Amino acid sequence: MNTRVAAIAELERRIGHVFADRDLLERALTHASVGDGAKAVRHNERLEFLGDRVLNLCAAERLMALDPDAREGEMSRLMAGLVNYHACSRAARACGLPDAMRFSASASKVGARDSDAVLGDACEALIAALYIDGGLETARAFFLQFWEEEFKRLDEPRAKDPKTQLQEWAQGRGLPLPAYELVAREGPDHAPTFTIAVAVEGFTPERGQGRSRQDAEKAAALHMLLKREGAEASSSHPSDTRL
């Protein structure tokens, strides 16, 4: 038994489901980089689309069951903490998905197998495959098993992300909202790197990079926050904080 065959067997053991449709499973485990876009290679991008909808349904069901009196706004806030590529990538690693996946040599070389964004998408594709092969109950069982820790995190105090912190800092000083601009998008389609610049009126723009545009925006905001905190710490005059 080769390494990948063993990894697929371990994946099925962890999720508690053996696929009847082996071609469907293989498609869910195949990254779009395989075949370099050749139409003959069936990869998991279409499954991601379905899996995202199934994941949202399972999360919404669970939230409503946990608190029948919760308001829509509160449930939407909690959904954001459950349905995102960070949570999906953690589930992907927990079920053994990275070792079972197929990547092109170039994608593997640039670290696609360890990318949260790539693994998050693959997890959604796996959820779709479970839904097709075993029905909603099978997909729901996967969600309840591998999102158990995510629900525990919902009760923990959450630090605001850098973009929110930067926005609040600017608003607190009567400044316009931070403006984000895409500076560059480099690398292959299956593993791009984004460079984003963020500008706050009166301050030198800062840049950040990430595997997704959202990550790059957060990195840029964090750089801006660190710069303005350092400036404010070294000056007792508000006007001296301008870089």
Side-chain angles (χ1 to χ4, degrees):
M1 181 181 293
N2 66 36
T3 302
R4 183 162 179 267
V5 170
I8 292 174
E10 176 62 14
L11 169 68
E12 291 183 308
R13 185 193 69 78
R14 292 189 189 186
I15 65 180
H17 179 78
V18 176
F19 278 80
D21 187 340
R22 307 307 293 181
D23 289 338
L24 173 64
L25 173 60
E26 187 65 15
R27 179 154 47 108
L29 299 176
T30 300
H31 186 251
S33 62
V34 176
D36 293 324
K39 292 183 179 180
V41 177
R42 302 187 72 192
H43 52 72
N44 62 13
E45 286 187 347
R46 281 175 56 86
L47 289 173
E48 291 168 23
F49 175 81
L50 174 60
D52 176 68
R53 275 68 183 171
V54 176
L55 174 58
N56 274 273
L57 172 61
C58 291
E61 280 184 338
R62 185 61 177 155
L63 286 173
M64 292 190 70
L66 287 174
D67 187 355
D69 298 322
R71 294 181 178 274
E72 180 184 358
E74 175 64 8
M75 287 193 294
S76 295
R77 184 186 69 80
L78 295 174
M79 278 282 285
L82 293 169
V83 181
N84 56 70
Y85 74 88
H86 295 295
C88 287
S89 67
R90 286 190 286 267
R93 291 187 173 93
C95 73
L97 192 53
D99 290 339
M101 289 189 65
R102 289 177 66 203
F103 292 95
S104 69
S106 60
S108 293
K109 188 175 181 179
V110 298
R113 197 179 300 273
D114 296 319
S115 165
D116 283 355
V118 170
L119 292 178
D121 289 342
C123 183
E124 290 181 341
L126 179 61
I127 290 172
L130 287 166
Y131 172 76
I132 295 169
D133 197 71
L136 181 57
E137 285 298 326
T138 300
R140 185 186 288 120
F142 174 88
F143 170 77
L144 293 176
Q145 177 182 353
F146 291 100
W147 260 258
E148 183 178 357
E149 292 301 317
E150 302 301 324
F151 278 94
K152 292 178 181 178
R153 288 190 179 95
L154 290 179
D155 296 327
E156 298 175 356
R158 290 180 176 268
K160 294 177 181 177
D161 68 69
K163 289 183 63 178
T164 300
Q165 292 183 55
L166 183 60
Q167 177 178 319
E168 291 179 351
W169 176 84
Q171 289 178 314
R173 286 155 181 76
L175 299 172
L177 294 179
Y180 295 87
E181 179 183 1
L182 177 64
V183 175
R185 182 187 188 279
E186 302 170 309
D189 288 341
H190 59 265
T193 297
F194 294 85
T195 301
I196 295 288
V198 60
V200 174
E201 185 178 291
F203 289 80
T204 302
E206 294 293 334
R207 293 187 178 190
Q209 288 189 329
R211 288 295 180 86
S212 69
R213 183 162 183 158
Q214 183 180 35
D215 279 352
E217 289 178 351
K218 288 180 179 180
L222 181 58
H223 292 162
M224 176 69 80
L225 285 167
L226 293 174
K227 280 290 185 70
R228 62 90 177 168
E229 285 175 356
E232 289 182 348
S234 63
S235 174
S236 59
H237 301 289
S239 60
D240 293 338
T241 65
R242 299 299 175 95
L243 302 180

